[in-house]
Amino acid sequence: MQVLLGLTRLLSMVNAALLGAGRVLGTACVALMVIFILVQVFYRYVLGNALPWSEEAARFLMLWMTGLMAPTAFRRGGFVSIDLLVGLMPRMVAAVLQLGLLALSLVVLVVGFRIGWAEVFGFGGRFATDALWLPTRVDLSSWMKVPRGWAMASLATGITLLISVNVELMLRSVLQLFGAGARVPEIRDQITLGAE
Amino acid sequence: MMLSFFLPLFMLFLFLGLPVFFGLIAAPGLLLWLNGQERDIVLLYRNVYNGMDSFPLMAIPFFMLAGEVMNRSNITLRLVEFSQAMIGHLRGGLAHVNVLSSMLFAGLSGSAVADVSALGSMLIPAMEKQGYTRKFAAAITAASSIIGPIIPPSGIMIIYAYVMGESVAALFLAGIVPGILMGGSLMLMVAVMADRYDLPPATTRASWGHRGQASLKAIWPLMTPVIILGGILGGVFTPTEAAAVAVGYSLLIGLFVMRTLKWSDLPDVMLRAGMTSAVVLLLVGAAMAFKTVASLSHTPELLAGILLGLSDNPLIVLFLINVLLFIVGMFLDAGPAIIILGPILGPIFVSMGVDSVHFAIIMAVNLTVGLLTPPMGLVLFVTSSVSGLKVETVARAILPFLAVEITVIFLLTYIPALTLTVPRMLGFIQ
């Protein structure tokens, strides 16, 4: 039990730190997305000169925003589900069901992890994006096209973080089963999210 | 053949409490694996990624951000003052003000939850102070908040348009009359109840001078829907660009014109919008994968066969589908329900001759009303937390308004002109 408690506390700390960094980067992505599209509107409609890169750069940022922020939402209970049945069950049965569902989620995520990183480093990931360039020298004399793999890594990274959260939630469920759930710090800021 | 089981399997997962995102992938993925189609699981993953990698979809984080900025800027106060100056003198004045404010707020945010949080915290105590019961105040706040996702801009309309390949502009336009009709019907109900329960007026009739002043103060937020819709319809902006402009505009008025927004508020506002959008975008990506498997499995055709077996009269089938949607809405929020059911039900009704935009509005309005119904009504939960009342109390108090909204759903179902006239007049549908 002590090992389990220690492991859960450790993973909880690691996740809190990783997801905190993810939220900061994700917030920056949101800000940059807005700036890029407003610049695009300004250039197209005021200066009459369409920018070739703004749309793709904003999409790139949106993908990273999703990959970096969705794991926080998952950890805080923000993934939409129907928890009516769980709510009606006795506590122990509900904890077993919860554990089973998390195990199923983990299978989905592990399959996604394997495919995701294979895609990033595979043939498709080596193609270049259409209009995104980065300087490779500080004097800006040399540039490279951003590989598609960098955008594809957003989902793979998101899945990797989701796996880490999923394992933490499973450990918490096991502790709950053994009546030791209260001995690990609660996840703060539980949320309900939706487009409604 | 095995693939046709993916829908029952998905429903089982959902019923057991698996998050919708995982269910959308696990059910078809498991059956593809059992069917020996491992290579197609890679395609499932690619569909999720490609489904998220979309410029039109970017309108979702932008509209959410614009709504958050408006909310944090206390723009709601100006809308309420404007509504009060216009109709506060009517009997049941604050209840009318509540509905009108929701209709105006709907033009800014497109979110029922934002509406309840913003207006509820202000209007429920104010109504109580004027002699309304708290449960009545909470009920009308909740009931009118669902106009948010119906009047444009609307997060769920963008999701529907993207998943089903419809025009965002057409759906936005199609939502205008239903939203106004919903608001008007609720005000009618308030008027009836005001006479019956002797509800007080909020203020004496405002002078035209006072009304002019209130209008001037509210002019900045009220211009937002004009900029969004005007920009899209005039061909100036794409919906995504319009959403970004709405963010820029709301920041401008919050930070510099009204000066009610602080720079230090911005990180939190962006974080909230980003996190909500991230969940929605993942769901939409998973829905694109789900949609591909749905069409491969011929599920829509199978369901169409079952539905047409019950009746081949589209009016009866539409009635049945409204009942089904209402039941689904009791258990699922509108966004996920649209993502799951749109690709399955949409093609059936289009093949029966129902206009795709008309069906989109029936579905969106019905599922939005579902936000008010227990046991899983998102708006009910938020209203309960804002008002401090039990969910059951709000759910009971809301019943007269719910009856009105169900009537509106059927009006929209059987009078397509209510939905289609505006987009048709402006040339967005034929």
Side-chain angles (χ1 to χ4, degrees):
Chain A
M1 182 59 71
Q2 285 307 318
V3 174
L4 205 59
L5 273 168
L7 208 60
T8 311
R9 284 191 189 123
L10 178 71
L11 195 55
S12 178
M13 269 166 49
V14 170
N15 279 340
L18 281 177
L19 300 188
R23 287 194 298 276
V24 172
L25 291 172
T27 303
C29 289
V30 175
L32 285 173
M33 272 160 62
V34 175
I35 292 169
F36 286 174
I37 298 302
L38 286 178
V39 167
Q40 169 175 306
V41 171
F42 180 79
Y43 266 76
R44 184 181 298 165
Y45 300 112
V46 181
L47 303 181
N49 174 18
L51 291 173
W53 55 268
S54 51
E55 186 178 314
E56 195 172 16
R59 272 199 344 255
F60 183 93
L61 291 165
M62 182 174 73
L63 288 167
W64 273 102
M65 174 201 81
T66 306
L68 293 168
M69 285 183 156
T72 295
F74 182 42
R75 190 166 185 262
R76 295 183 181 179
F79 271 31
V80 188
S81 64
I82 300 175
D83 46 13
L84 189 68
L85 190 66
V86 175
L88 292 173
M89 286 175 166
R91 204 171 56 86
M92 290 298 273
V93 183
V96 172
L97 176 63
Q98 201 68 46
L99 197 58
L101 293 174
L102 282 166
L104 183 55
S105 305
L106 186 63
V107 172
V108 171
L109 289 169
V110 168
V111 173
F113 175 89
R114 288 176 53 191
I115 298 173
W117 287 111
E119 292 276 294
V120 170
F121 294 111
F123 185 64
R126 283 188 215 128
F127 281 100
T129 48
D130 290 332
L132 298 183
W133 294 82
L134 271 186
T136 53
R137 297 171 74 133
V138 277
D139 62 358
L140 305 183
S141 60
S142 161
W143 293 72
M144 65 172 264
K145 266 196 165 183
V146 172
R148 277 197 76 218
W150 291 16
M152 292 157 81
S154 60
L155 184 56
T157 305
I159 289 175
T160 309
L161 291 170
L162 284 170
I163 288 177
S164 187
V165 171
N166 200 101
V167 172
E168 182 196 338
L169 296 177
M170 286 180 81
L171 289 173
R172 284 174 179 272
S173 278
V174 174
L175 288 173
Q176 197 78 35
L177 268 175
F178 290 110
R183 291 172 65 187
V184 281
E186 264 186 43
I187 296 169
R188 287 186 305 162
D189 304 325
Q190 292 287 310
I191 43 170
T192 310
L193 299 172
E196 300 84 6
Chain B
M1 182 58 205
M2 186 174 262
L3 270 185
S4 56
F5 289 108
F6 92 98
L7 194 59
L9 185 65
F10 169 70
M11 286 164 69
L12 175 72
F13 285 160
L14 219 58
F15 178 71
L16 289 175
L18 189 70
V20 178
F21 169 71
F22 294 118
L24 284 168
I25 300 169
L30 189 64
L31 291 175
L32 283 172
W33 181 68
L34 288 173
N35 228 13
Q37 293 171 266
E38 283 94 350
R39 289 180 62 170
D40 289 339
I41 298 178
V42 177
L43 296 181
L44 211 60
Y45 178 91
R46 285 182 189 157
N47 272 320
V48 176
Y49 175 78
N50 292 330
M52 292 184 339
D53 185 13
S54 146
F55 186 64
L57 215 51
M58 207 181 294
I60 291 176
F62 287 163
F63 277 129
M64 283 184 177
L65 183 56
E68 287 281 348
V69 171
M70 297 266 182
N71 221 342
R72 197 64 71 96
S73 308
N74 276 330
I75 281 169
T76 34
L77 180 65
R78 306 233 171 161
L79 296 180
V80 170
E81 283 172 356
F82 171 77
S83 305
Q84 192 152 328
M86 295 300 162
I87 55 168
H89 60 281
L90 299 175
R91 189 185 277 275
L94 270 187
H96 286 297
V97 167
N98 199 324
V99 179
L100 182 59
S101 300
S102 284
M103 291 166 75
L104 298 174
F105 193 79
L108 314 177
S109 91
S111 155
V113 172
D115 180 301
V116 173
S117 320
L119 289 171
S121 52
M122 188 188 309
L123 281 173
I124 294 172
M127 288 176 77
E128 223 179 339
K129 208 177 279 178
Q130 282 219 347
Y132 294 82
T133 60
R134 194 190 297 185
K135 60 182 182 182
F136 178 87
I140 188 64
T141 305
S144 60
S145 73
I146 57 117
I147 299 168
I150 302 173
I151 288 181
S154 158
I156 59 170
M157 300 278 191
I158 296 169
I159 293 174
Y160 190 97
Y162 179 63
V163 174
M164 299 300 294
E166 293 291 339
S167 147
V168 174
L171 292 192
F172 275 9
L173 288 171
I176 294 174
V177 173
I180 294 172
L181 185 66
M182 192 67 90
S185 308
L186 287 173
M187 287 168 104
L188 207 64
M189 188 62 176
V190 167
V192 171
M193 293 174 88
D195 278 341
R196 192 162 167 194
Y197 300 113
D198 199 21
L199 299 178
T203 53
T204 51
R205 184 187 287 272
S207 67
W208 283 106
H210 181 224
R211 284 179 179 176
Q213 271 181 349
S215 306
L216 270 180
K217 279 169 81 177
I219 192 82
W220 292 102
L222 288 178
M223 284 298 290
T224 316
V226 178
I227 292 171
I228 295 171
L229 275 185
I232 297 173
L233 301 181
V236 183
F237 313 129
T238 62
T240 305
E241 288 170 342
V245 169
V247 174
Y249 179 75
S250 56
L251 285 172
L252 199 72
I253 56 177
L255 288 169
F256 303 112
V257 180
M258 291 170 50
R259 297 188 181 174
T260 41
L261 184 71
K262 295 193 287 285
W263 285 97
S264 57
D265 290 331
L266 292 184
D268 186 49
V269 161
M270 284 191 280
L271 174 69
R272 285 171 62 93
M275 206 146 59
T276 313
S277 309
V279 174
V280 173
L281 292 174
L282 267 189
L283 269 178
V284 173
M288 299 310 277
F290 187 82
K291 182 183 167 185
T292 310
V293 182
S295 57
L296 283 176
S297 67
H298 304 288
T299 304
E301 290 90 328
L302 277 171
L303 279 178
I306 295 170
L307 275 172
L308 293 173
L310 296 171
S311 169
D312 55 1
N313 182 342
L315 300 181
I316 294 174
V317 180
L318 275 171
F319 174 83
L320 294 174
I321 229 56
N322 267 312
V323 174
L324 172 77
L325 289 173
F326 193 76
I327 294 168
V328 169
M330 292 166 83
F331 295 93
L332 257 184
D333 294 335
I338 279 175
I339 282 170
I340 296 162
L341 292 176
I344 294 169
L345 297 178
I348 298 175
F349 284 90
V350 171
S351 71
M352 288 173 73
V354 176
D355 190 283
S356 57
V357 170
H358 181 208
F359 183 71
I361 296 297
I362 294 172
M363 199 167 175
V365 174
N366 192 323
L367 290 169
T368 305
V369 171
L371 297 170
L372 297 173
T373 51
M376 302 289 288
L378 184 61
V379 166
L380 273 187
F381 298 148
V382 180
T383 311
S384 157
S385 100
V386 170
S387 65
L389 292 168
K390 283 186 177 167
V391 172
E392 307 89 272
T393 311
V394 184
R396 263 197 303 273
I398 221 167
L399 285 176
F401 301 116
L402 199 58
V404 169
E405 290 176 343
I406 291 170
T407 311
V408 171
I409 292 172
F410 282 106
L411 282 176
L412 294 174
T413 304
Y414 293 117
I415 312 176
L418 290 172
T419 302
L420 300 178
T421 304
V422 176
R424 192 168 278 153
M425 269 168 52
L426 292 167
F428 281 83
I429 53 172
Q430 293 193 332

